[in-house]
């Protein structure tokens, strides 16, 4: 891979052109469209200088009066960050800037939520006198959120992630990159490391060696099957036996509003490892010519990958 510019960009949280060639099953023929075959949701965790968290009181009939973090669906033509800023403004009256993604939550392509840590930059806190269809009011809350009637308890793990990130960031600041993508896909940094300090990375062999890219299918089962489904399918097709990879960790993602043909595709750059069977194990020999293992010998690059792996220094993907 020469100086491995693609790997360097992905490890740094940047983006890289997806192209039109995919590993694994043939990709869907139609584009990804918000409101048609995918749903993206944004959510933000904000704290003020007194360490109070920003909560909104819901106005929707099904949860009216209950409290939640500012959140809502992305709209066609929006970037992910623009959608987050809009939802925060509409529901709380405040303007904000994103600091990092805290988590990627997903139920397959049918529902993906981007949870951000953000900071307030202006605006005026929404009061009951300004209640509308977006929310009744917003408040900086100092106590235990469980003391309030919450819309759902799923915000509690996110508040915990945010508090831990503020104390000691487990991963670099990670924000979406503005690069077009027609489909919903994953670029895979599949690593195999043994206890002797050796490291291999799985590469796709079509054309110039590259990190494999798999597309998410759009059948009803695939829409609900989770982002891990196409990853497991590729590994089971290309490697002998069941490789049993570890959890997905997000290194970065790329999306551009109004992409090719108006598509709302996203490429998730993810890190995962295949556990070795013994201290000096070597990776399993691929049973398909479409992939191969690359032995990483450059110490700096090897160190960056191993640090990300061993410290779980990635944005968690929660399925």
């Amino acid at each position: 891979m020469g100086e491995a510019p693609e790997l360097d960009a992905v490890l740094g949280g940047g983006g890289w052109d997806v192209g039109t060639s995919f590993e694994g099953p043939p990709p869907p023929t139609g584009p990804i469209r918000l409101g048609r075959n995918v749903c993206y949701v944004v959510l933000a965790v904000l704290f003020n200088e007194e360490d109070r968290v920003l909560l909104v009181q819901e106005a929707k009939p099904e949860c009216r009066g209950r409290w939640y973090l500012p959140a809502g669906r992305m709209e066609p033509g929006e970037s992910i960050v623009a959608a987050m800023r809009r939802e925060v403004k509409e529901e709380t009256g405040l303007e904000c800037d994103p600091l990092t993604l805290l988590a990627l939550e997903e139920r397959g392509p049918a529902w993906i939520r981007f949870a951000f840590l953000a900071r307030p930059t202006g605006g005026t806190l929404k009061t009951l006198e300004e209640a509308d269809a977006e929310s009744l009011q917003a408040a900086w809350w100092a106590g235990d959120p469980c003391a309030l009637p919450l819309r759902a308890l799923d915000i509690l793990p996110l508040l915990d992630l945010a508090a831990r990130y503020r104390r000691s960031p487990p991963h670099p600041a990670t924000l979406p990159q503005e690069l077009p993508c027609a489909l919903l896909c994953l670029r895979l940094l599949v690593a195999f490391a043994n206890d002797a300090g050796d490291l291999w990375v799985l590469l796709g062999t079509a054309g110039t060696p590259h990190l494999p890219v798999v597309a998410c299918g759009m059948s009803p089962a695939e829409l609900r099957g989770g982002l891990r489904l196409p990853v497991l399918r590729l590994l089971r097709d290309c490697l002998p036996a069941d490789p049993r990879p570890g959890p997905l960790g997000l290194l970065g993602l790329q999306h551009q509003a109004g992409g090719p043909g108006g598509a709302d595709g996203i490429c998730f750059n993810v890190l995962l490892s295949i556990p070795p069977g013994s201290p000096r194990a070597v990776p399993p020999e691929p049973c398909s010519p479409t992939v191969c293992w690359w032995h990483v010998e450059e110490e700096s690059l090897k160190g960056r990958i191993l640090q990300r792996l061993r410290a779980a220094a990635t944005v968690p993907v929660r399925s």
Side-chain angles (χ1 to χ4, degrees):
M1 286 185 74
E3 294 184 2
E6 178 192 23
L7 192 49
D8 186 64
V10 169
L11 276 173
W16 195 262
D17 181 50
V18 174
T20 57
S21 177
F22 297 87
E23 278 67 40
T29 54
I32 297 297
R33 293 285 173 82
L34 273 173
R36 294 188 190 177
N37 48 14
V38 293
C39 174
Y40 302 151
V41 178
V42 290
L43 175 148
V45 183
L46 291 90
F47 295 91
N48 65 7
E49 293 177 352
E50 290 79 41
D51 288 335
R52 299 184 178 205
V53 67
L54 183 63
L55 296 177
V56 298
Q57 193 173 32
E58 295 282 6
K60 302 180 189 72
E62 64 271 19
C63 54
R64 187 178 179 87
R66 294 188 173 271
W67 293 83
Y68 204 65
L69 291 169
R73 295 188 179 193
M74 269 178 64
E75 297 175 356
E78 277 189 313
S79 72
I80 300 171
V81 168
M84 185 273 294
R85 285 188 168 123
R86 174 184 55 76
E87 286 292 345
V88 171
K89 179 68 173 176
E90 289 176 350
E91 295 191 352
T92 74
L94 300 183
E95 295 159 0
C96 70
D97 282 338
L99 297 174
T100 186
L101 276 165
L102 286 173
L104 177 71
E105 302 176 305
E106 58 98 7
R107 302 170 194 160
W111 188 90
I112 298 173
R113 185 162 74 174
F114 306 92
F116 286 89
L117 178 64
R119 65 180 182 90
T121 58
T124 305
L125 199 65
K126 190 176 196 174
T127 64
L128 274 173
E129 288 72 30
E130 299 165 301
D132 56 21
E134 298 296 337
S135 65
L136 299 179
Q137 63 177 323
W140 292 108
W141 182 253
D144 182 353
C146 290
L148 293 170
L150 296 178
R151 171 182 151 188
L153 298 179
D154 62 349
I155 64 172
L156 299 179
L158 296 174
L159 291 173
D160 181 58
L161 274 180
R164 284 192 282 135
Y165 191 94
R166 295 174 79 218
R167 287 195 303 269
S168 178
H171 57 79
T174 305
L175 293 170
Q177 301 296 304
E178 294 271 342
L179 280 171
C181 187
L183 300 174
L184 200 63
C185 57
L186 298 97
R187 178 184 281 112
L188 310 178
L189 201 174
V190 182
F192 184 99
N194 63 24
D195 293 344
D198 296 306
L199 174 69
W200 291 262
V201 168
L202 194 69
L203 299 181
T205 57
T208 303
H210 58 276
L211 296 177
V213 179
V214 293
C216 296
M218 289 291 117
S219 72
E222 290 168 317
L223 283 171
R224 297 186 300 270
L227 296 179
R228 196 173 171 84
L229 186 63
V231 178
L232 293 176
R233 184 178 295 163
L234 174 72
L235 296 180
R236 287 168 182 165
D237 288 347
C238 294
L239 301 177
D242 185 350
R244 298 184 182 279
L248 301 182
L250 186 70
L251 293 166
L253 62 94
Q254 46 201 76
H255 166 267
Q256 189 174 73
D264 295 298
I266 297 176
C267 180
F268 300 101
N269 299 325
V270 298
L271 174 67
L272 66 158
S273 64
I274 294 177
S278 62
R280 292 190 172 272
V282 296
E285 190 66 28
C287 51
S288 167
T290 60
V291 297
C292 68
W293 289 104
W294 175 52
H295 189 211
V296 182
E297 297 180 336
E298 204 273 303
E299 289 299 326
S300 174
L301 181 59
K302 183 196 297 186
R304 291 174 67 197
I305 297 172
L306 290 175
Q307 187 273 333
R308 288 278 204 153
L309 277 175
R310 291 170 178 168
T314 55
V315 176
V317 178
R318 298 186 163 182
S319 303

